[in-house]
Amino acid sequence: MIPTHVPDEPPLTYADSFDIPVLFRNGPAKKPRRQWRTAQHKAWTGSDGFPATDGWYAPTTTWREIIKAAAEVGRDVTPHLQNQPRYARGELVARISPLYAYLGAHAVKPRHPLPGAKGRRLTWNPVYAHGTERSMKNAASYRLGMTMTEWVCRSLLGLSQTEHLELGGPIPALYDTFKDPKKKLPDLWGRHETEGVYWLIEAKGGNVGLGTLRDGWAQLAAGSNVLGAYGHRTVLVGASVRPGDDLFLTIDHDLHPGKPPLAPAGSDADDEAAGPGNLEDHLGDSDDALIGAARAQMLAYLALRSAPASQLRTVPVATDPASRHRRSGLTTPLEDDSLTLAMRAEARVAATGTERHTRIRAMGLDDFLSCRIPGTEVHLGMSRKLFAACERLHEEDLAIARRTPGLRAEDQAPADLEISDEAQEEQRLTQRRIFREQQEEARPRLRLLLRDAYERGAASDWRDLLRHPQEPELDLEGDESLLEAATPETYVAVSRYDLPPARA
């Protein structure tokens, strides 16, 4: 049982901000002795890459930012969901719910507090500490490691996107080497536009010790040997936490100079570089950024596409993304977006009647489609332009499955009940790799198709995009129970009453 001295407290209502201690260093070392509390941390001022000096930092983030990272990191399972999009919601629950189930927050008093720090940090909650068996702890640690790795690489360090290395890595000529089942390689790779190099990334989570970090460093070394002459950085993220103590991150890294990254297969020489940070900041300039953003949001798209009409609503957001001045990270909390708040107040007075959607667009607001993900208190959404691009990409992925032998389940031989789990996983991995190769071959065509869909989406009504006779309900009143955030093309909201509970 949970000890009697642990209070049975309800979730508190507070803004969803937390401080995350982060230690940058040049290689694995022993776990620091509570330096996440005692060290004199440097203020995090934002970065498009690694800070100039290693050491301790204590950036502040939001639960919304962490949830966005959780929803977007991991294997691309959408090829398996082509005909059953409703199951996308189940995958989102699997990615998000362990964080709600096992993370809590507590107040801290660092020895050297930073100006602007929130004084709250994440930790394992009493359920994890006293009531969870080992296999579930391992699963929660895996999800925590992947989520915080995505958060630090994208929200903190400006990486444009992460992809699973198991599908073949960044260099087509090296696909077979990256796919060698005998090699133990890192989890993720990405291309950092500001640094102009590839990143190889390994994620570790839980009570991360030196042995675990050394294993991760060896996996990165194996990946580095494959990339060879291409410039790259190896990044090892340890998301370490023990019950009753603070979640902190160790970032062990090394830079390997070399040849510059290759353009994606089928890229147009006239296509602008995707640029640093969030792909959504560059969708007007780069067709490859548009393809990447649409792929990153396919789970959310499938969840929206398959939701009953009664569960959908649209939320007004200012059409000018420049109004959302992000202090750090990918999202802007909408309570900090004064333009959106002012325009919403104006729209509540002026936008009445059956044509409210048209009127708010004329006022400079866009209406992002959103729905609550069943089984969570998380709402995800996106703009009409990105929804239209995702829809076109989904249609093309369906066509790949139909024309590629062996990808459809009905074309495969009956399952051998004696086949091992490892063999089944290898079969599924082979199918995912074939699908990815087909997607890359289609890139030249996709660039034109998605650009056309994206531009047409701007002038489309939701009733047309959803193929439904009525527009979704436009929520001009707002929901005081939700904490909202937006990027240029996406929306995320969490219930302020269901944040990780604080504990004494």
Side-chain angles (χ1 to χ4, degrees), residues 194-422:
T194 300
E195 287 197 338
V197 296
Y198 297 115
W199 282 15
L200 297 178
I201 307 157
E202 175 62 20
K204 301 295 184 184
N207 188 11
V208 182
L210 179 57
T212 300
L213 292 177
R214 282 176 172 166
D215 289 343
W217 201 245
Q219 290 172 249
L220 287 165
S224 184
N225 288 336
V226 174
L227 268 184
Y230 290 94
H232 60 279
R233 184 185 287 275
T234 49
V235 182
L236 173 61
V237 180
S240 189
V241 60
R242 292 178 297 183
D245 220 328
D246 310 345
L247 167 67
F248 69 94
L249 306 182
T250 54
I251 315 296
D252 301 311
H253 62 101
D254 193 13
L255 184 61
H256 306 262
K259 294 190 292 186
L262 301 176
S267 293
D268 188 333
D270 296 330
D271 190 36
E272 297 286 341
N278 190 6
L279 290 176
E280 297 168 34
D281 292 329
H282 308 280
L283 299 192
D285 305 321
S286 170
D287 293 337
D288 289 318
L290 179 57
I291 293 173
R295 289 220 182 281
Q297 297 303 320
M298 282 301 289
L299 271 180
Y301 161 78
L302 293 175
L304 291 167
R305 162 60 72 193
S306 61
S310 60
Q311 296 178 8
L312 296 171
R313 68 185 185 118
T314 60
V315 292
V317 179
T319 53
D320 181 10
S323 69
R324 298 191 281 281
H325 300 292
R326 297 192 296 274
R327 293 187 301 273
S328 63
L330 301 178
T331 64
T332 300
L334 289 188
E335 65 266 24
D336 295 338
D337 184 359
S338 57
L339 179 59
T340 290
L341 295 180
M343 296 179 74
R344 282 181 173 183
E346 181 183 352
R348 280 194 289 270
V349 176
T352 59
T354 58
E355 298 300 321
R356 292 196 302 168
H357 293 80
T358 302
R359 295 185 184 185
I360 68 163
R361 290 185 217 166
M363 297 171 63
L365 287 167
D366 197 359
D367 48 338
F368 282 26
L369 185 70
S370 76
C371 75
R372 182 179 69 83
I373 305 303
T376 75
E377 290 302 321
V378 174
H379 299 243
L380 297 178
M382 65 181 66
S383 70
R384 285 173 287 120
K385 293 186 293 184
L386 185 55
F387 187 93
C390 286
E391 181 173 43
R392 195 70 182 92
L393 182 60
H394 178 58
E395 292 172 354
E396 292 301 308
D397 283 351
L398 270 173
I400 289 175
R402 290 173 181 141
R403 69 172 179 261
T404 306
L407 285 187
R408 298 193 314 164
E410 50 265 43
D411 293 338
Q412 298 167 20
D416 184 350
L417 297 180
E418 300 300 322
I419 192 171
S420 68
D421 291 343
E422 291 78 10

Side-chain angles (χ1 to χ4, degrees), residues 112-141:
H112 305 283
L114 284 171
K118 298 301 180 182
R120 284 191 304 274
R121 294 181 182 174
L122 293 171
T123 186
W124 291 129
N125 65 23
V127 173
Y128 177 95
H130 303 287
T132 303
E133 47 93 11
R134 182 180 300 176
S135 60
M136 285 305 300
K137 286 185 176 181
N138 291 339
S141 295

